[in-house]
Amino acid sequence: MVILYEVYENLYVNMTNRCPCACTFCLRQTMDEMNHSGSLWLEREPEVEEVIAAFDRFDMTKYRELVFCGFGEPTERLADLLKVAEYAKKTFGIAVRVNTNGLSDLIWEKDTAPMYEGLVDTISISLNTPDPEEYLKLTRSKFGIQSHAAMLRFAGNVSRYVPNVVLSTVETTITEAEENQCREICSRLGVTYRILPFED
């Protein structure tokens, strides 16, 4: 069962298969591994102690970041994620990033932004599109049309507790006009906008 896997200069943490979305573009629909990681489909969710023990198999001085991102939405296990992040920061002094759909407030039915303070250095959120209806078509979020607004609200809130908050879209998937709308949204929220390269 693959709990930790390497991609370039980073070590990734795979803690759950659960996700409130079923994105039309999700990589897990077409593959079961990343960068020759082995299958990222978990037989069961690893305990926090198992994740921490898995670090012993890696030279932690090699990595630039510890990234919570597997085949599920990492904030489905937010409390456990933060326990692992706290351990990693204290033990290895490594920067921590969470790649997320930004829906943890809806998942946990509360304002989760303050929970990340001091434990996470970067939150990277898939913005996808400036339009709420198109967002729902793309993500097929179980939370419905409120998802887009909730994601943006979370991004703005969490920027008060996490140094780097990035919202991203993928090049060629939306128009230049839509990219400009996304840029304006991010400027209003006080977060970074990034256009990622398209990967087939």
Side-chain angles (χ1 to χ4, degrees), residues 182-196:
C182 291
R183 196 170 283 108
E184 289 171 9
I185 288 170
C186 291
S187 177
R188 187 172 70 247
L189 293 172
V191 302
T192 300
Y193 176 49
R194 186 168 296 153
I195 300 173
L196 303 176

Side-chain angles (χ1 to χ4, degrees), residues 106-171:
L106 294 180
I107 293 169
W108 295 103
E109 299 181 337
K110 65 180 181 180
D111 176 15
T112 59
M115 298 172 67
Y116 297 85
E117 186 172 19
L119 301 175
V120 175
D121 301 283
T122 301
I123 296 275
S124 182
I125 302 170
S126 300
L127 173 57
N128 298 310
T129 171
D131 181 70
E133 292 186 0
E134 185 61 26
Y135 177 87
L136 185 56
K137 287 179 188 175
L138 287 170
T139 64
R140 298 182 288 198
S141 167
K142 74 177 187 180
F143 297 114
I145 197 66
Q146 66 174 324
S147 300
H148 191 263
M151 176 263 296
L152 294 181
R153 186 165 54 251
F154 169 76
N157 288 343
V158 82
S159 68
R160 303 203 303 268
Y161 304 99
V162 172
N164 306 304
V165 178
V166 179
L167 268 61
S168 64
T169 59
V170 176
E171 65 181 2

Side-chain angles (χ1 to χ4, degrees), residues 17 23 30 66 95 110:
N17 292 335
C23 298
T30 57
L66 184 70
K110 65 180 181 180

Side-chain angles (χ1 to χ4, degrees), residues 7-164:
V7 178
Y8 304 121
E9 299 176 294
N10 298 327
L11 188 65
Y12 281 64
V13 186
N14 181 38
M15 292 179 65
T16 185
N17 292 335
R18 289 180 285 155
C19 185
C21 297
C23 298
T24 58
F25 52 82
C26 186
L27 293 175
R28 73 182 194 171
Q29 297 190 48
T30 57
M31 60 180 71
D32 66 0
E33 63 179 57
M34 294 290 293
N35 199 42
H36 311 293
S37 62
S39 177
L40 295 178
W41 290 109
L42 295 166
E43 302 155 18
R44 58 177 176 77
E45 293 188 343
E47 300 291 336
V48 168
E49 294 74 20
E50 287 180 88
V51 180
I52 288 172
F55 288 128
D56 290 342
R57 300 197 294 272
F58 295 84
D59 176 4
M60 297 302 294
T61 63
K62 288 170 42 180
Y63 306 112
R64 193 167 49 87
E65 283 183 307
L66 184 70
V67 185
F68 289 85
C69 176
F71 264 7
E73 165 53 40
T75 66
E76 287 275 5
R77 295 189 63 189
L78 183 55
D80 290 341
L81 178 164
L82 295 174
K83 288 176 187 174
V84 175
E86 182 177 24
Y87 172 85
K89 287 187 78 66
K90 284 182 177 177
T91 307
F92 310 115
I94 193 169
V96 173
R97 167 160 51 103
V98 177
N99 288 357
T100 176
N101 55 30
L103 300 180
S104 63
D105 287 358
L106 294 180
I107 293 169
W108 295 103
E109 299 181 337
K110 65 180 181 180
D111 176 15
T112 59
M115 298 172 67
Y116 297 85
E117 186 172 19
L119 301 175
V120 175
D121 301 283
T122 301
I123 296 275
S124 182
I125 302 170
S126 300
L127 173 57
N128 298 310
T129 171
D131 181 70
E133 292 186 0
E134 185 61 26
Y135 177 87
L136 185 56
K137 287 179 188 175
L138 287 170
T139 64
R140 298 182 288 198
S141 167
K142 74 177 187 180
F143 297 114
I145 197 66
Q146 66 174 324
S147 300
H148 191 263
M151 176 263 296
L152 294 181
R153 186 165 54 251
F154 169 76
N157 288 343
V158 82
S159 68
R160 303 203 303 268
Y161 304 99
V162 172
N164 306 304

